[in-house]
Amino acid sequence: MSRALASVTLIACLAAAFSFAFAGAEPQPQSTSWVDQYRVDADRIIQEATSAPFAWHRLAELTDTYGNRLAGSENLNRAIAWAVEAMKTDGLDNVRTEKVMVPRWVRGAESAVIVDPPEHHMPMLGLGGSVGTPPAGIEADVLVVKTFEDLNQHAADAKGKIVLYNAPYVSYGQTNQYRTGGATAAARHGAVGVLVRAIGPTGLRTPHTGGMGYADGVAKIPAAAISAEDASRIQRIVDRGRRVRVRLKMEARFEPDVESANVIGEIRGREMPDQVVLVGGHFDSWDVGTGASDDGVGCIVTWEAARLMKKLNIRPRRTVRVVLFTNEENGLRGGSAYRDKYQAEAGNHVLAIESDSGVFAPGRLGFTGSTAAQEIIRNIGTLLIPLGLHDIGSGGGGADIGPIAQAGKVPMLAYQGDSSRYFQIHHTPADTIDRIAPDEVSKAAAALAVMTYVVAEMPQALPK
Ligand SMILES: [Zn+2]
């Protein structure tokens, strides 16, 4: 056999081995990989995270004891104090709060009633940031539209009406435009109030709240969500040529800004403490349900990264910093305040991780960063084969880590739960822990902890 032929044969064998490795249904750990050196600790982390439902119970304690946690509320203040104590009990380093001034929006009493035909009380939720109605409420005929184009075509009919956006749910990204911008679009044509069909897959007659805004120079009119079922009912009556009259009462209002805080705990790095792997979620929620999926669970699973390392006596080269951000839902002031405070050190953040899409199975990890960084993250992902979370997709990011990531050109990783289950209960009274299984929480925590650990431990920083 000639030398050249031997080489060709070798290449062919390697190619065969390579394709064999990818042909199997179950991906096998590649024993030659550089990530092997982290496998023992990664397996310890996975074992510790999944052997007992610690994280689920911590989430249950948070949501049962403190309930929903709108920024500026007493509930959130008390939950922040609890988190500080719990992080200290975990033995985290440098546990602290960092002050953030936040808007304080108060819902007050509210109702939406079809007064004709016949009197029919609708489950409703005023949209976050909405103005209220006069004390007696507003009463008007309803103009039903399906889209903004539809509204523009019926602009002449909008004056003095309550506009109902009866847009079927397609996706959150596509449909929430009616929640965020619907009031202003309707007010431009003289409408006096707005109702929005629930932004989510049809639930159990469930309205979904969420943030909305107004434009300068356009009248601020009250806006509320109603369920898909009631929106459909109004649509059917109107389609039969019958008018529908609604009375809307809302006490919603803004009060002066109040003090809130981001909560921070760390595992200080043993060699490069100034380099930071940031992990977190937002600790505030809407003022309905208990903010279990949005985003209590995101806070708990990212916090687990540090707790598990402390418990297992793992202190990586770089600092692991857990941040429970305040005010994501109605102001994003926690994420902005973090960026402002750490602006000078933004470049020292080697990775920013956020969990703010629930943990409903099947979950996945998404990454945003350079090709070189992606390759490394994909390799670390092979350590997650025992969890079935080794396929790293795109779409890393999060509202709270966005500002610091932009300032420091920081790669971003996100845990993404199944969106169909997440958006069914998103921003509703049904966002409670009852819907989340303990192993969904444990697996997310394990995956994020392994990712955090390896990126904090690798000799070289994750490339930007
Ligand atoms: Zn959220």
Side-chain angles (χ1 to χ4, degrees):
M1 196 189 286
S2 74
R3 233 183 128 81
L5 186 60
S7 298
V8 169
T9 308
L10 180 63
I11 288 165
C13 288
L14 282 174
F18 194 68
S19 56
F20 179 75
F22 279 80
E26 285 300 308
Q28 298 300 314
Q30 294 165 5
S31 59
T32 54
S33 169
W34 60 268
V35 297
D36 271 354
Q37 58 190 305
Y38 306 111
R39 193 175 303 280
V40 169
D41 279 335
D43 287 346
R44 288 173 69 215
I45 289 170
I46 291 171
Q47 170 65 22
E48 180 67 28
T50 57
S51 61
F54 179 93
W56 188 92
H57 283 293
R58 180 164 266 181
L59 177 63
E61 186 184 351
L62 165 67
T63 55
D64 291 341
T65 314
Y66 304 99
N68 53 57
R69 304 173 301 282
L70 189 61
S73 68
E74 267 310 301
N75 280 8
L76 180 60
N77 293 345
R78 284 194 280 261
I80 286 171
W82 167 83
V84 167
E85 288 313 307
M87 281 185 179
K88 287 179 181 167
T89 304
D90 288 348
L92 302 194
D93 305 323
N94 302 329
V95 176
R96 60 195 187 271
T97 56
E98 291 178 350
K99 178 181 157 181
V100 182
M101 294 303 289
V102 297
R104 180 169 155 79
W105 179 78
V106 179
R107 175 179 302 281
E110 55 182 15
S111 63
V113 182
I114 297 179
V115 293
D116 180 55
E119 182 168 302
H120 169 70
H121 289 252
M122 296 185 282
M124 60 81 80
L125 284 172
L127 299 182
S130 176
V131 297
T133 63
I138 52 170
E139 193 178 301
D141 289 358
V142 179
L143 170 67
V144 186
V145 299
K146 290 218 166 79
T147 61
F148 286 129
E149 297 76 61
D150 199 7
L151 172 68
N152 289 337
Q153 279 165 17
H154 296 89
D157 303 330
K159 192 168 166 52
K161 301 275 178 58
I162 292 174
V163 168
L164 164 62
Y165 291 94
N166 185 31
Y169 179 73
V170 182
S171 69
Y172 185 69
Q174 233 171 304
T175 317
N176 80 349
Q177 58 181 321
Y178 299 106
R179 188 193 80 204
T180 55
T184 291
R188 284 187 205 281
H189 301 304
V192 295
V194 156
L195 297 175
V196 180
R197 179 191 174 110
I199 310 295
T202 301
L204 297 170
R205 210 166 162 228
T206 311
H208 298 232
T209 190
M212 57 86 66
Y214 296 107
D216 288 343
V218 182
K220 295 180 177 180
I221 61 174
I226 60 172
S227 69
E229 291 89 332
D230 283 322
S232 296
R233 177 176 176 162
I234 293 171
Q235 176 86 62
R236 286 191 302 272
I237 297 170
V238 167
D239 287 349
R240 286 185 210 109
R242 179 84 151 78
R243 70 162 198 174
V244 173
R245 201 159 171 83
V246 162
R247 187 188 311 122
L248 183 65
K249 276 191 190 180
M250 293 170 60
E251 292 179 351
R253 63 193 182 275
F254 275 104
E255 294 182 354
D257 286 5
V258 292
E259 190 175 325
S260 185
N262 293 333
V263 181
I264 300 186
E266 297 176 340
I267 301 284
R268 204 70 189 151
R270 69 172 193 276
E271 278 182 19
M272 295 174 269
D274 293 341
Q275 290 192 17
V276 173
V277 177
L278 172 68
V279 291
H282 64 86
F283 213 37
D284 65 309
S285 75
W286 279 105
D287 58 335
V288 295
T290 62
S293 274
D294 188 12
D295 182 30
V297 77
C299 291
I300 299 297
V301 297
T302 49
W303 173 356
E304 279 289 272
R307 187 192 70 87
L308 290 163
M309 280 181 227
K310 181 70 192 175
K311 177 99 195 282
L312 297 170
N313 210 11
I314 295 171
R315 184 175 292 278
R317 286 190 168 86
R318 296 178 188 78
T319 293
V320 172
R321 179 178 295 159
V322 181
V323 183
L324 312 181
F325 294 93
T326 189
N327 188 224
E328 187 271 350
E329 295 291 5
N330 63 332
L332 220 53
R333 302 232 190 129
S336 305
Y338 182 87
R339 185 262 329 273
D340 293 347
K341 187 170 176 76
Y342 295 97
Q343 185 95 45
E345 299 137 66
N348 291 345
H349 290 67
V350 297
L351 177 65
I353 300 177
E354 180 152 1
S355 171
D356 185 21
S357 307
V359 297
F360 293 121
R364 68 195 269 283
L365 290 165
F367 179 76
T368 300
S370 66
T371 310
Q374 256 172 46
E375 189 54 34
I376 289 170
I377 293 291
R378 212 170 289 141
N379 271 294
I380 302 172
T382 63
L383 297 172
L384 305 179
I385 288 171
L387 297 167
L389 292 165
H390 45 282
D391 276 333
I392 315 292
S394 58
D400 302 290
I401 60 173
I404 191 74
Q406 199 176 8
K409 298 188 173 27
V410 186
M412 292 185 289
L413 184 77
Y415 193 86
Q416 299 156 343
D418 175 52
S419 63
S420 61
R421 288 170 66 199
Y422 180 71
F423 284 113
Q424 184 131 42
I425 49 93
H426 183 248
H427 297 177
T428 77
D431 181 0
T432 69
I433 192 164
D434 309 81
R435 279 151 196 88
I436 312 171
D439 71 311
E440 290 175 322
V441 184
S442 301
K443 283 173 76 168
L448 293 173
V450 169
M451 280 289 169
T452 303
Y453 155 64
V454 178
V455 172
E457 177 63 20
M458 304 186 304
Q460 303 297 324
L462 188 67
K464 296 213 166 168

